[in-house]
Amino acid sequence: MIKLLYLRLTDSAPLIVAKEKGYFHQVGLEVQLQRETSWATLRDKLIGGKADAAAMLAPMPLTLQQALPNCQEQLISGLILSCNGNAITLSTDLHQRLLHYGAGERQSDIAKSLKVYLRENPKSAPVRLATVYPFSSHALQLRHWLRSADINPDQEIQLVILPPEQMLENLYSGMIDGYCVGEPWNTLAAHKGSGVVITACNTLLPAMPEKVLAVTERWHTANPVSHLALRSALLQACTWLAARENRHEAAGLLAQQQYLDLPEFLLQRSLNDQMLYRQNAEIIANPGWHLFAHSDNDNGRPCEEKAKQLIEMCSSFSETTPANSRNFRSDLYRQTVDFLSVNK
């Protein structure tokens, strides 16, 4: 039995599809999917040996020593599961305030309006924006958006860390003024009227690696055959998801109580590249909001070049520089593609 961890997010789809469509069974694996609440808990259970593998934020295996300096474990990935999938959402209250400072519908206008608002209200309560983990694509994307308007993320606002599924509740209660999070928590905020989706992050940093399959190096060394089978099943699930005609069925699988336990029609939207940016607004197209790995393109290949790009971005706001770009294993990805080619 392999215990595989995930969070309550739309891009957990490859794991759920692999389970529900029988891809794990086809490669001889019995897999238990276990839902976690926070990325730190998921990380700690994986490195503590309480789970075998996890769908993990792409920068996490590369920055483990930054997050946990005394940790002797190494996390590796032989498969990028998905790219994109995030958005930035502001509370309806903050968005309304920004309208008085020239905010329009474009993301650049809103960021510039936030800059003016911060400058003209220096004694007001600090603007609190949340991301899901210090070293995450979300943190990188939010920082990129803020810096596009010359806002210093470390001095002019408060950045806080919250688990993805706690974002909406904290936005509604006024504990935070906005967040960068994965779907469906942006769509859900817009649907409920609690927030306004400012931008989908694939328009900021396109095709950024989002989730990877992560295991400890120790587990891989002890279980190379099971690891290959696990990667193979998940790559098949990703390839199935890459076909747009399968996304409707995928939303139904994700919506089930034991997985995301959320309305299917809300999950349909971002899976089908449709963005509801505010309550009762017209749905607009957002091509490429969720990109899943496919054996015929480069999206699923973890390599040192991609790792170094993420490391460089993380290093821009961290005092120490992670140096384990080799934890993205392109050799394991190639082994997976070759295995599937031979066993078609």
Side-chain angles (χ1 to χ4, degrees), residues 72-85:
Q72 300 302 310
E73 190 60 84
Q74 292 286 328
L75 294 175
I76 63 172
S77 177
L79 177 63
I80 296 173
L81 298 167
S82 63
C83 301
N84 303 332

PDB file of all heavy atoms in Angstrom, residues 72-85:
ATOM      1  N   GLN A  72      17.978  16.448   7.482  1.00  0.00           N
ATOM      2  CA  GLN A  72      18.983  15.697   6.736  1.00  0.00           C
ATOM      3  C   GLN A  72      18.395  14.967   5.537  1.00  0.00           C
ATOM      4  O   GLN A  72      19.127  14.381   4.739  1.00  0.00           O
ATOM      5  CB  GLN A  72      19.659  14.677   7.666  1.00  0.00           C
ATOM      6  CG  GLN A  72      20.357  15.309   8.852  1.00  0.00           C
ATOM      7  CD  GLN A  72      21.419  16.304   8.443  1.00  0.00           C
ATOM      8  OE1 GLN A  72      22.281  16.007   7.615  1.00  0.00           O
ATOM      9  NE2 GLN A  72      21.357  17.510   9.010  1.00  0.00           N
ATOM     10  N   GLU A  73      17.082  15.006   5.404  1.00  0.00           N
ATOM     11  CA  GLU A  73      16.412  14.290   4.311  1.00  0.00           C
ATOM     12  C   GLU A  73      16.508  15.095   3.021  1.00  0.00           C
ATOM     13  O   GLU A  73      16.711  16.316   3.044  1.00  0.00           O
ATOM     14  CB  GLU A  73      14.946  14.042   4.693  1.00  0.00           C
ATOM     15  CG  GLU A  73      14.200  13.112   3.758  1.00  0.00           C
ATOM     16  CD  GLU A  73      14.830  11.735   3.696  1.00  0.00           C
ATOM     17  OE1 GLU A  73      14.535  10.898   4.553  1.00  0.00           O
ATOM     18  OE2 GLU A  73      15.642  11.533   2.757  1.00  0.00           O
ATOM     19  N   GLN A  74      16.389  14.393   1.904  1.00  0.00           N
ATOM     20  CA  GLN A  74      16.317  15.029   0.591  1.00  0.00           C
ATOM     21  C   GLN A  74      15.003  14.640  -0.065  1.00  0.00           C
ATOM     22  O   GLN A  74      14.588  13.479  -0.005  1.00  0.00           O
ATOM     23  CB  GLN A  74      17.479  14.586  -0.299  1.00  0.00           C
ATOM     24  CG  GLN A  74      18.846  15.063   0.140  1.00  0.00           C
ATOM     25  CD  GLN A  74      19.051  16.547  -0.136  1.00  0.00           C
ATOM     26  OE1 GLN A  74      18.518  17.072  -1.103  1.00  0.00           O
ATOM     27  NE2 GLN A  74      19.815  17.215   0.722  1.00  0.00           N
ATOM     28  N   LEU A  75      14.345  15.618  -0.694  1.00  0.00           N
ATOM     29  CA  LEU A  75      13.147  15.352  -1.477  1.00  0.00           C
ATOM     30  C   LEU A  75      13.499  15.436  -2.952  1.00  0.00           C
ATOM     31  O   LEU A  75      14.208  16.354  -3.370  1.00  0.00           O
ATOM     32  CB  LEU A  75      12.045  16.365  -1.150  1.00  0.00           C
ATOM     33  CG  LEU A  75      11.465  16.324   0.258  1.00  0.00           C
ATOM     34  CD1 LEU A  75      10.483  17.478   0.458  1.00  0.00           C
ATOM     35  CD2 LEU A  75      10.778  14.987   0.517  1.00  0.00           C
ATOM     36  N   ILE A  76      13.011  14.495  -3.718  1.00  0.00           N
ATOM     37  CA  ILE A  76      13.284  14.495  -5.153  1.00  0.00           C
ATOM     38  C   ILE A  76      11.971  14.400  -5.917  1.00  0.00           C
ATOM     39  O   ILE A  76      10.949  13.953  -5.385  1.00  0.00           O
ATOM     40  CB  ILE A  76      14.214  13.334  -5.573  1.00  0.00           C
ATOM     41  CG1 ILE A  76      13.544  11.978  -5.293  1.00  0.00           C
ATOM     42  CG2 ILE A  76      15.566  13.437  -4.863  1.00  0.00           C
ATOM     43  CD1 ILE A  76      14.324  10.793  -5.865  1.00  0.00           C
ATOM     44  N   SER A  77      12.017  14.832  -7.163  1.00  0.00           N
ATOM     45  CA  SER A  77      10.847  14.716  -8.033  1.00  0.00           C
ATOM     46  C   SER A  77      11.260  14.241  -9.420  1.00  0.00           C
ATOM     47  O   SER A  77      12.188  14.792 -10.017  1.00  0.00           O
ATOM     48  CB  SER A  77      10.112  16.047  -8.155  1.00  0.00           C
ATOM     49  OG  SER A  77       9.034  15.914  -9.065  1.00  0.00           O
ATOM     50  N   GLY A  78      10.549  13.240  -9.902  1.00  0.00           N
ATOM     51  CA  GLY A  78      10.750  12.751 -11.260  1.00  0.00           C
ATOM     52  C   GLY A  78       9.579  13.057 -12.164  1.00  0.00           C
ATOM     53  O   GLY A  78       9.515  12.538 -13.282  1.00  0.00           O
ATOM     54  N   LEU A  79       8.655  13.923 -11.699  1.00  0.00           N
ATOM     55  CA  LEU A  79       7.489  14.243 -12.516  1.00  0.00           C
ATOM     56  C   LEU A  79       6.867  15.559 -12.051  1.00  0.00           C
ATOM     57  O   LEU A  79       6.513  15.705 -10.884  1.00  0.00           O
ATOM     58  CB  LEU A  79       6.439  13.122 -12.419  1.00  0.00           C
ATOM     59  CG  LEU A  79       5.121  13.346 -13.160  1.00  0.00           C
ATOM     60  CD1 LEU A  79       5.349  13.451 -14.662  1.00  0.00           C
ATOM     61  CD2 LEU A  79       4.128  12.217 -12.842  1.00  0.00           C
ATOM     62  N   ILE A  80       6.758  16.519 -12.981  1.00  0.00           N
ATOM     63  CA  ILE A  80       5.947  17.713 -12.746  1.00  0.00           C
ATOM     64  C   ILE A  80       4.515  17.362 -13.134  1.00  0.00           C
ATOM     65  O   ILE A  80       4.250  16.987 -14.274  1.00  0.00           O
ATOM     66  CB  ILE A  80       6.451  18.910 -13.569  1.00  0.00           C
ATOM     67  CG1 ILE A  80       7.867  19.313 -13.137  1.00  0.00           C
ATOM     68  CG2 ILE A  80       5.493  20.108 -13.427  1.00  0.00           C
ATOM     69  CD1 ILE A  80       8.496  20.374 -14.011  1.00  0.00           C
ATOM     70  N   LEU A  81       3.603  17.477 -12.190  1.00  0.00           N
ATOM     71  CA  LEU A  81       2.216  17.098 -12.442  1.00  0.00           C
ATOM     72  C   LEU A  81       1.445  18.175 -13.186  1.00  0.00           C
ATOM     73  O   LEU A  81       0.600  17.864 -14.045  1.00  0.00           O
ATOM     74  CB  LEU A  81       1.512  16.799 -11.116  1.00  0.00           C
ATOM     75  CG  LEU A  81       2.075  15.630 -10.305  1.00  0.00           C
ATOM     76  CD1 LEU A  81       1.509  15.655  -8.887  1.00  0.00           C
ATOM     77  CD2 LEU A  81       1.758  14.308 -10.980  1.00  0.00           C
ATOM     78  N   SER A  82       1.715  19.457 -12.869  1.00  0.00           N
ATOM     79  CA  SER A  82       0.915  20.527 -13.460  1.00  0.00           C
ATOM     80  C   SER A  82       1.675  21.842 -13.443  1.00  0.00           C
ATOM     81  O   SER A  82       2.631  22.032 -12.678  1.00  0.00           O
ATOM     82  CB  SER A  82      -0.408  20.697 -12.693  1.00  0.00           C
ATOM     83  OG  SER A  82      -0.162  21.083 -11.355  1.00  0.00           O
ATOM     84  N   CYS A  83       1.228  22.744 -14.297  1.00  0.00           N
ATOM     85  CA  CYS A  83       1.696  24.123 -14.312  1.00  0.00           C
ATOM     86  C   CYS A  83       0.475  25.035 -14.175  1.00  0.00           C
ATOM     87  O   CYS A  83      -0.640  24.659 -14.523  1.00  0.00           O
ATOM     88  CB  CYS A  83       2.421  24.453 -15.617  1.00  0.00           C
ATOM     89  SG  CYS A  83       3.865  23.436 -15.969  1.00  0.00           S
ATOM     90  N   ASN A  84       0.721  26.237 -13.682  1.00  0.00           N
ATOM     91  CA  ASN A  84      -0.338  27.243 -13.506  1.00  0.00           C
ATOM     92  C   ASN A  84      -1.363  26.788 -12.469  1.00  0.00           C
ATOM     93  O   ASN A  84      -1.068  25.949 -11.639  1.00  0.00           O
ATOM     94  CB  ASN A  84      -1.005  27.583 -14.838  1.00  0.00           C
ATOM     95  CG  ASN A  84      -0.009  28.075 -15.881  1.00  0.00           C
ATOM     96  OD1 ASN A  84       1.022  28.634 -15.536  1.00  0.00           O
ATOM     97  ND2 ASN A  84      -0.321  27.878 -17.147  1.00  0.00           N
ATOM     98  N   GLY A  85      -2.571  27.377 -12.510  1.00  0.00           N
ATOM     99  CA  GLY A  85      -3.640  26.974 -11.599  1.00  0.00           C
ATOM    100  C   GLY A  85      -3.936  27.934 -10.470  1.00  0.00           C
ATOM    101  O   GLY A  85      -4.867  27.701  -9.705  1.00  0.00           O
TER     102      GLY A  85
END
